[in-house]
Amino acid sequence: ITLLGKDNVLTGQAVAESYSHIWRMEETLLAKAITLPRTTAEVSSIVKLCYHSDQAIVVFGGRTNLVGSTETSGQEIIISMEKMNQIEEVDTQSRTVTVQAGAILETIQMAIAAEDMFLPLNFGAKGSAQIGGIIATNAGGLQVFRYGMTRNLILGLEVVMADGTIISGLKKIIKDNSAFDLKQLFIGSEGTLGIVTKAVLKIIEAPKSRTSAFVGINDYDKVIHFLKFMDKELAGNLSSYELIWENSYKVMTGPQNDIKPPIPYGYKYYVLIEGLGIDQNQDQARLQFLLEQAFEKEIILDAAIADGGSDLEWFWTIREDVHQLKSDCSIDHHFDISIPIPEIGVYVDETVKKLNLIDGVHKVFAFGHVADGNIHFIVDKENVSPALKKDIDLTVYTPLKKLGGSVSAEHGIGLHKKAYLDLCRSPEEIALMKVLKKALDPKNLLNPGKVIDMEYISVIKQKIVH
């Protein structure tokens, strides 16, 4: 209270009335206090006090994660970044934007658009997700295929370390090979190695056109064929390639949502594509021509082109509003896996079949960013028993090791996937992660218990260090 003022430290009932996730606002939050810093210096002061008191810390951003990264036990101090929400600078000449960690993605997008620039980072939670959390989880989204993950867009970071030390590297340059690229340690570390307080992001010139189409396909091999065809023929302008399975498409466009389907039901796969270019009329005509060619070559069976802004909003609302699938579930169980693109068709078919044989599973929805190998499942189950959760988890995760996949494409590990990290990381990799955690957070105070457990095997540690 002395550091922040009484209005910026919440305790007691004010804590209980908060929440750890935007989908679980009805659940009582357990924590000693919530702090609301306004500057990096205030974050540093809070962390220093916690470090000297051996006090665990959990950082809150937009609380949109799906792996338990912001769950608490009641023994933590929460640092909420919501008041550190300023967009400090949009530099159109350096093509960068400098933001505080609590800035919401959609707000950043709007500020950049006002300068005729573009941040190629987009996903359904853009209206709630804060950039600090996005960086901490190395979030992906709808345009990863063309522009890469969040990591690819970060030029500089300001980070508060576990002892309160401020590491400030807010550079605007793309090339910097001056020894270790320290910012990479914190991108995707889920708040376990340091607290991101500011960032410099790379932005690009705003595209002049945006085109989209929904396509119906029945053969997964042709899903891949269509991807290669469109990517080649659009000459680098293909920015998104989303795949939705039929039962997911039916719920996303059902009458309960008051959203009509752009193309009829009856196809196994629904592909939503996006192209960003320089001339709306020419690019629209080019898309029309390519879809006609794909139809003549029997790659696709049906297509609908978005005609103008209202159609674009309609098409992309279908894909972005995953809450519609969640709402169709009694109890929703989410997955975010990554496997090589050619394996996706068979893997999903076999996994859905196995999941539907589990007693307690009602429905399985599949969709994802197929062009970068990322598939999401939402499993509708009848209860929250650990036994049912384990059966479902093992069904989805066990094949991934053989396929060279990952239990987390973009959501992170948090608490919920920690037991399965060894399916996609070797013992040596996990041991090295623990060495880094111990070095940067020796008291294990930053988001403790998340991502990795800190029981040390000294022999492995010594082997890696020496």
Side-chain angles (χ1 to χ4, degrees):
I1 293 175
T2 302
L3 285 172
L4 305 179
K6 64 179 182 179
D7 293 337
N8 294 310
V9 179
L10 307 180
T11 57
Q13 187 61 27
V15 173
E17 291 174 355
S18 189
Y19 53 92
S20 66
H21 195 280
I22 60 169
W23 286 355
R24 295 173 181 165
M25 293 184 180
E26 73 286 354
E27 295 180 4
T28 300
L29 178 65
L30 302 174
K32 291 182 178 179
I34 300 174
T35 61
L36 301 163
R38 294 152 295 189
T39 65
T40 299
E42 289 183 351
V43 174
S44 174
S45 296
I46 296 166
V47 174
K48 284 178 180 177
L49 283 176
C50 290
Y51 186 80
H52 291 300
S53 303
D54 295 335
Q55 173 60 57
I57 297 168
V58 173
V59 180
F60 275 10
R63 287 164 280 182
T64 60
N65 80 92
L66 293 170
V67 293
S69 295
T70 51
E71 290 181 9
T72 58
S73 67
Q75 301 306 307
E76 303 89 350
I77 292 290
I78 292 169
I79 298 178
S80 175
M81 307 303 288
E82 61 192 84
K83 291 192 176 182
M84 289 188 63
N85 60 5
Q86 298 302 303
I87 299 169
E88 296 191 348
E89 181 189 41
V90 179
D91 184 343
T92 58
Q93 293 186 329
S94 293
R95 301 204 294 181
T96 62
V97 58
T98 303
V99 296
Q100 295 178 349
I104 292 173
L105 176 57
E106 190 169 34
T107 305
I108 300 171
Q109 291 173 334
M110 293 170 63
I112 293 169
E115 300 293 335
D116 199 28
M117 301 295 288
F118 179 63
L119 175 65
L121 180 63
N122 194 29
F123 41 79
K126 62 188 176 185
S128 303
Q130 296 176 11
I131 196 66
I134 292 169
I135 293 167
T137 56
N138 187 31
L142 301 169
Q143 293 165 330
V144 167
F145 169 63
R146 181 169 175 182
Y147 299 105
M149 302 282 282
T150 298
R151 185 183 304 280
N152 299 75
L153 304 173
I154 303 298
L155 298 180
L157 290 182
E158 185 171 80
V159 179
V160 175
M161 304 299 292
D163 63 355
T165 300
I166 299 172
I167 304 294
S168 189
L170 295 174
K171 294 183 178 180
K172 297 181 179 180
I173 56 177
I174 294 174
K175 291 183 174 180
D176 183 6
N177 262 347
S178 53
F180 303 145
D181 190 357
L182 296 176
K183 67 179 180 290
Q184 300 298 341
L185 288 170
F186 307 103
I187 301 170
S189 67
E190 300 182 54
T192 62
L193 301 181
I195 301 171
V196 174
T197 56
K198 292 183 185 180
V200 178
L201 288 83
K202 178 172 59 176
I203 57 179
I204 62 176
E205 302 296 329
K208 302 298 183 184
S209 74
R210 183 185 181 200
T211 57
S212 280
F214 255 111
V215 171
I217 300 174
N218 277 338
D219 185 335
Y220 183 74
D221 286 342
K222 291 184 177 179
V223 171
I224 300 176
H225 189 175
F226 185 57
L227 168 61
K228 290 175 65 63
F229 173 75
M230 294 302 292
D231 192 26
K232 180 179 181 179
E233 297 300 328
L234 288 177
N237 285 342
L238 184 64
S239 53
S240 297
Y241 192 91
E242 299 293 304
L243 182 60
I244 305 172
W245 275 253
E246 183 183 16
N247 68 322
S248 303
Y249 180 76
K250 285 181 176 179
V251 173
M252 290 169 154
T253 60
Q256 71 276 15
N257 307 328
D258 197 29
I259 299 177
K260 62 182 181 179
I263 57 177
Y265 303 138
Y267 303 110
K268 183 173 182 178
Y269 304 108
Y270 292 80
V271 173
L272 174 59
I273 62 172
E274 175 191 69
L276 299 177
I278 60 172
D279 185 290
Q280 188 66 40
N281 290 333
Q282 289 184 11
D283 293 339
Q284 194 86 351
R286 178 66 177 167
L287 178 60
Q288 174 78 39
F289 172 73
L290 292 177
L291 292 176
E292 289 172 357
Q293 277 200 324
F295 186 81
E296 291 171 2
K297 294 174 182 288
E298 299 184 345
I299 304 171
I300 66 174
L301 299 172
D302 200 354
I305 299 178
D307 184 13
S310 59
D311 279 1
L312 285 168
E313 183 179 357
W314 166 30
F315 282 22
W316 284 96
T317 295
I318 293 169
R319 172 58 186 88
E320 292 178 15
D321 195 3
V322 177
H323 192 75
Q324 298 294 350
L325 297 177
K326 177 186 181 299
S327 298
D328 201 58
C329 298
S330 302
I331 298 171
D332 50 298
H333 190 155
H334 294 251
F335 293 90
D336 158 51
I337 62 98
S338 187
I339 58 175
I341 294 171
E343 310 290 346
I344 288 174
V346 172
Y347 166 80
V348 171
D349 285 349
E350 292 181 350
T351 301
V352 169
K353 188 181 299 182
K354 291 175 184 176
L355 286 170
N356 282 321
L357 292 174
I358 296 174
D359 187 24
V361 170
H362 297 153
K363 287 172 284 191
V364 182
F365 299 113
F367 59 97
H369 322 291
V370 69
D372 49 68
N374 177 194
I375 296 300
H376 300 289
F377 292 113
I378 298 180
V379 179
D380 178 19
K381 59 184 183 181
E382 68 180 23
N383 62 59
V384 295
S385 73
L388 178 56
K389 180 182 184 302
K390 186 175 182 179
D391 283 349
I392 295 170
D393 284 349
L394 289 173
T395 300
V396 174
Y397 292 143
T398 300
L400 298 180
K401 189 167 188 175
K402 183 178 179 181
L403 293 171
S406 171
V407 299
S408 176
E410 58 184 358
H411 290 170
I413 296 298
L415 279 175
H416 301 166
K417 298 186 179 183
K418 193 168 61 171
Y420 304 102
L421 184 59
D422 62 353
L423 291 176
C424 52
R425 294 292 191 177
S426 70
E428 293 78 14
E429 286 178 305
I430 294 172
L432 180 55
M433 292 178 196
K434 292 181 178 182
V435 171
L436 290 170
K437 172 68 171 173
K438 183 68 174 178
L440 299 183
D441 182 15
K443 294 186 177 184
N444 192 25
L445 300 179
L446 298 180
N447 220 359
K450 312 293 173 47
V451 185
I452 51 174
D453 288 317
M454 291 306 295
E455 293 82 10
Y456 274 81
I457 303 174
S458 59
V459 174
I460 295 178
K461 179 184 174 184
Q462 290 172 9
K463 178 181 176 181
I464 289 175
V465 172
H466 299 294

